[in-house]
Amino acid sequence: ARDHRAPLAGRVLAGRALPHLGAPVEALHRVSGRTGNFPPGSPEEALEQAAINAEAQNRALLQRCKAADPEAQHSNPHVQMVNGYREWDSLDSLFKTMGPNPLAMSEELGPAVARSYQEFHSVLKELEGKLPAPHSPADAQLNLELIRTLYKEDPQRVVAALRPVICKDPEEIARTKDMSWCPDPPVYAPLRNMHEEDKETLRLACYGPEVEAQLCFADANPNYRIGEDIWGVMADYRSAQSMTAPRPGRARRVKDECLMA
């Protein structure tokens, strides 16, 4: 039988060995957290990031206002109640109210990391521009004493914190036009290491203006019928305030009203 290794051995003996093939190397792919619409670090890029942050924070603020307003769920002009059921004027109006799944936005099943940056701040730095500009060391000391009357800790202490990129103050970005604070390539940090307010802003920014981040009662309980609920009947009795309507429970006796009985 012919040996299949004979041709290879012949080439090796002849000084023409096969080239050594190493492990496959993956091509380098640069990941950037910027949009790429403007040159990196340019003022135009900073203004674009300021607009993105302002839009996201406004969406979150709108959802906070809706959660604080008890009549927000009934103010949609495209929905009307007909015989206890909600009716939309079109399918487009219905589909616009369908936001992200609440389970997909929860801490248990939702995203665990977010694109972040490290922020260094102090109380004294945050109050810059809001206090009178000091013209002497005595004025600066007076400002510190004024801050200490309301803030018992050291106002000059610098605190480092991880924050989502969209939580950066858009006014500060637009004023400085500096993008050195935003790491590129992006840095992803766990959400558990961030403040609760920033995590809430991230969650609420995913909802559009037409969507309610807070589920209404009809969505959470689609099979509820108030006519089949005994507590609903008692609520009707209390709201009617009628003297002729029969009240549930035992009728009060005359001696029940007597203080000496």
Side-chain angles (χ1 to χ4, degrees), residues 7-149:
L8 177 60
R11 288 198 297 271
V12 172
L13 294 175
R16 294 180 299 172
L18 292 176
H20 177 71
L21 299 178
V25 179
E26 184 179 359
L28 180 62
H29 179 67
R30 178 178 174 81
V31 178
S32 177
R34 313 289 179 85
T35 61
N37 297 328
F38 300 98
S42 61
E44 293 79 9
E45 185 186 37
L47 293 176
E48 182 191 28
Q49 187 65 46
I52 294 174
N53 286 23
E55 183 180 359
Q57 294 176 23
N58 285 339
R59 289 197 301 268
L61 180 60
L62 178 61
Q63 294 301 327
R64 290 189 176 98
C65 294
K66 288 184 177 181
D69 185 9
E71 300 297 330
Q73 297 178 350
H74 307 288
S75 60
N76 192 342
H78 303 285
V79 183
Q80 59 180 350
M81 297 294 295
V82 178
N83 296 329
Y85 294 92
R86 293 174 298 169
E87 288 190 1
W88 283 264
D89 55 6
S90 64
L91 286 178
D92 291 338
S93 302
L94 172 62
F95 292 148
K96 287 181 180 179
T97 61
M98 297 182 180
N101 192 307
L103 293 179
M105 304 304 298
S106 63
E107 294 186 2
E108 292 78 9
L109 302 177
V113 296
R115 191 159 64 95
S116 62
Y117 74 101
Q118 193 170 22
E119 183 181 72
F120 300 92
H121 65 91
S122 64
V123 175
L124 184 61
K125 182 180 179 182
E126 292 179 359
L127 293 178
E128 286 183 356
K130 300 179 181 179
L131 294 174
H135 299 285
S136 64
D139 293 341
Q141 187 64 27
L142 181 61
N143 289 342
L144 285 177
E145 294 298 332
L146 180 61
I147 296 174
R148 288 194 178 98
T149 58

Side-chain angles (χ1 to χ4, degrees), residues 63-239:
Q63 294 301 327
R64 290 189 176 98
C65 294
K66 288 184 177 181
D69 185 9
E71 300 297 330
Q73 297 178 350
H74 307 288
S75 60
N76 192 342
H78 303 285
V79 183
Q80 59 180 350
M81 297 294 295
V82 178
N83 296 329
Y85 294 92
R86 293 174 298 169
E87 288 190 1
W88 283 264
D89 55 6
S90 64
L91 286 178
D92 291 338
S93 302
L94 172 62
F95 292 148
K96 287 181 180 179
T97 61
M98 297 182 180
N101 192 307
L103 293 179
M105 304 304 298
S106 63
E107 294 186 2
E108 292 78 9
L109 302 177
V113 296
R115 191 159 64 95
S116 62
Y117 74 101
Q118 193 170 22
E119 183 181 72
F120 300 92
H121 65 91
S122 64
V123 175
L124 184 61
K125 182 180 179 182
E126 292 179 359
L127 293 178
E128 286 183 356
K130 300 179 181 179
L131 294 174
H135 299 285
S136 64
D139 293 341
Q141 187 64 27
L142 181 61
N143 289 342
L144 285 177
E145 294 298 332
L146 180 61
I147 296 174
R148 288 194 178 98
T149 58
L150 301 175
Y151 185 72
K152 301 305 180 183
E153 299 182 9
D154 185 9
Q156 295 179 330
R157 184 170 64 93
V158 178
V159 179
L162 285 173
R163 301 193 65 194
V165 171
I166 66 166
C167 293
K168 177 76 171 178
D169 186 8
E171 294 184 359
E172 181 181 352
I173 302 175
R175 183 178 67 254
T176 61
K177 296 182 176 62
D178 181 21
M179 287 294 293
S180 60
W181 59 271
C182 185
D184 191 28
V187 174
Y188 293 90
L191 290 176
R192 64 176 180 270
N193 297 337
M194 300 182 184
H195 297 296
E196 293 296 329
E197 184 179 358
D198 291 341
K199 290 191 291 185
E200 184 184 21
T201 301
L202 273 177
R203 182 180 66 86
L204 297 179
C206 298
Y207 294 90
E210 305 87 3
V211 184
E212 295 283 347
Q214 184 178 5
L215 288 177
C216 62
F217 184 82
D219 291 333
N221 302 273
N223 298 323
Y224 173 77
R225 300 291 182 271
I226 192 172
E228 302 173 359
D229 192 346
I230 60 173
W231 303 113
V233 176
M234 294 183 66
D236 290 340
Y237 280 137
R238 292 193 183 97
S239 61

